[in-house]
Amino acid sequence: MTRHYNFCAGPAALPAAVLERARSELLDYQGRGLSVMEMSHRSDEFVAIAERAETDLRTLLNIPSNYKVLFLQGGASMQFAMLPMNLLGGGGSANFIQTGIWGKKALSEAKHLGYRCHLAASSEASGNTAVPALDALAISNDAAYLHYTSNETIGGLKFDYTPVVKRDDGSDVPLVCDMSSNILSGPINVSDFGVIYAGAQKNIGPAGLTLVIVRDDLLGKTVPGAPSLFDYQLLAEAGSMVNTPPTYAWYLAGLVFQWLQNDMGGLSAMDALNQRKADKLYAAIDASAFYSNPIARANRSRMNVPFVLADAALDNVFLQEADEAGLLNLKGHRSVGGMRASLYNAVPEEAVDALIAFMADFEQRRG
Ligand code: PMP
């Protein structure tokens, strides 16, 4: 069996150690004679798996006790709808910082549902190559929350600061962050946020699971008529089991949390490794006249590194040769073209080294 290097933006590489552990427990979970996939979500075994995953996540991210952790379905995109439904019940508007496609989708979904929205800042006019400065954010006085995307997966743009803001009267505006593509890539200060959410299929586990971390005081503000399955408070009260949760994805996420803590040394170690991986690849791109990346240095994503070739006519040859060399899924998002290497936690440093060597060789032969 050969496992190639997978640079997919999502569903993304999973740690081999996690997949091996899952394989070893696939048919018979710890002597119980059945698979985790075949267990009742209400069974003692599964409840223990679920609780362990939450406890481990709380340890990894140092989540304070006044936050609830929800293990949901529907993807990060469903949160685009659930957020205004849960946070605008007391009135006010949803404020947005838009730095790319995902932030834009979050705003258009809230608008589509008829909620009052306000664009506090956007980097669209400048091609989303740098994030707006903190003092450029124009928050509305009726802001119920401020939404932003800490890492834009398609553009490869990350915030280099946390946009903690206040209304004119000095009161805090709850900060809501789509961390789908950079959660668990390093430590964060959860207390800066009202809500953190992330689709699992990058740094957490397989697709089908969505994490929501929500501060207690934001619960109970749901708009009238919201479906029960969309209501954070009901979901929190039911331990994310209002209905059948995505049990196997939850279990695998738990294995990833154990891997991060026990095998990788926790999030500070992960942070250093991720920085090293990204620094190497950007250095190789910057040192070459053949490859380029347009993002302002301070905002370059460590997780998703888009780059273009000097001659776009070579894109398909590049992708084909890379694939043959065991470097998979380097094609950029269909909306932007070019290449994109996603360097999530489960992508080892050797994969980045192999990619850099391949890029240098390709440039020499074809550039
Ligand atoms: N937000 C970000 C930052 C993403 O990268 C993605 C998916 N690539 C989404 C939201 C949408 O996630 P999902 O497909 O889970 O709805």
Side-chain angles (χ1 to χ4, degrees), residues 33 134 160 230 255 299:
L134 182 59
D160 55 335
F230 275 47
L255 295 186
N299 298 134

Side-chain angles (χ1 to χ4, degrees), residues 74-77 80 102 149 151 153 178 180-181 199 201-202:
S77 304
F80 298 166
W102 294 111
T149 313
N151 185 76
T153 321
D178 178 354
S180 292
S181 50
Q201 63 272 23
K202 299 152 194 314

Side-chain angles (χ1 to χ4, degrees), residues 221-233:
K221 297 180 193 290
T222 313
V223 297
S228 322
L229 276 175
F230 275 47
D231 187 328
Y232 289 157
Q233 183 158 36

Side-chain angles (χ1 to χ4, degrees), residues 300-323:
R300 284 174 158 182
S301 168
R302 308 191 306 181
M303 297 285 104
N304 312 98
V305 182
F307 59 93
V308 293
L309 277 47
D311 179 3
L314 289 173
D315 282 5
N316 285 339
V317 190
F318 180 94
L319 289 167
Q320 193 185 331
E321 290 190 9
D323 195 273

Side-chain angles (χ1 to χ4, degrees), residues 125-259:
S126 63
N128 294 321
T129 51
V131 308
L134 182 59
D135 61 11
L137 307 183
I139 308 300
S140 68
N141 271 324
D142 69 345
Y145 66 92
L146 172 65
H147 177 283
Y148 80 113
T149 313
S150 53
N151 185 76
E152 278 285 352
T153 321
I154 295 172
L157 183 76
K158 75 151 204 280
F159 269 79
D160 55 335
Y161 69 94
T162 306
V164 175
V165 291
K166 292 190 186 297
R167 298 182 189 90
D168 285 351
D169 65 5
S171 57
D172 287 322
V173 179
L175 189 58
V176 173
C177 184
D178 178 354
M179 273 189 209
S180 292
S181 50
N182 67 348
I183 194 166
L184 297 171
S185 62
I188 52 168
N189 183 18
V190 173
S191 302
D192 286 339
F193 301 91
V195 182
I196 294 169
Y197 69 100
Q201 63 272 23
K202 299 152 194 314
N203 262 343
I204 296 168
L209 173 73
T210 309
L211 271 186
V212 176
I213 301 168
V214 52
R215 207 172 59 213
D216 282 345
D217 64 285
L218 296 174
L219 297 173
K221 297 180 193 290
T222 313
V223 297
S228 322
L229 276 175
F230 275 47
D231 187 328
Y232 289 157
Q233 183 158 36
L234 294 181
L235 289 159
E237 281 165 8
S240 304
M241 296 195 197
V242 168
N243 69 335
T244 314
T247 50
Y248 200 72
W250 192 333
Y251 155 77
L252 270 182
L255 295 186
V256 170
F257 302 153
Q258 290 177 40
W259 171 79

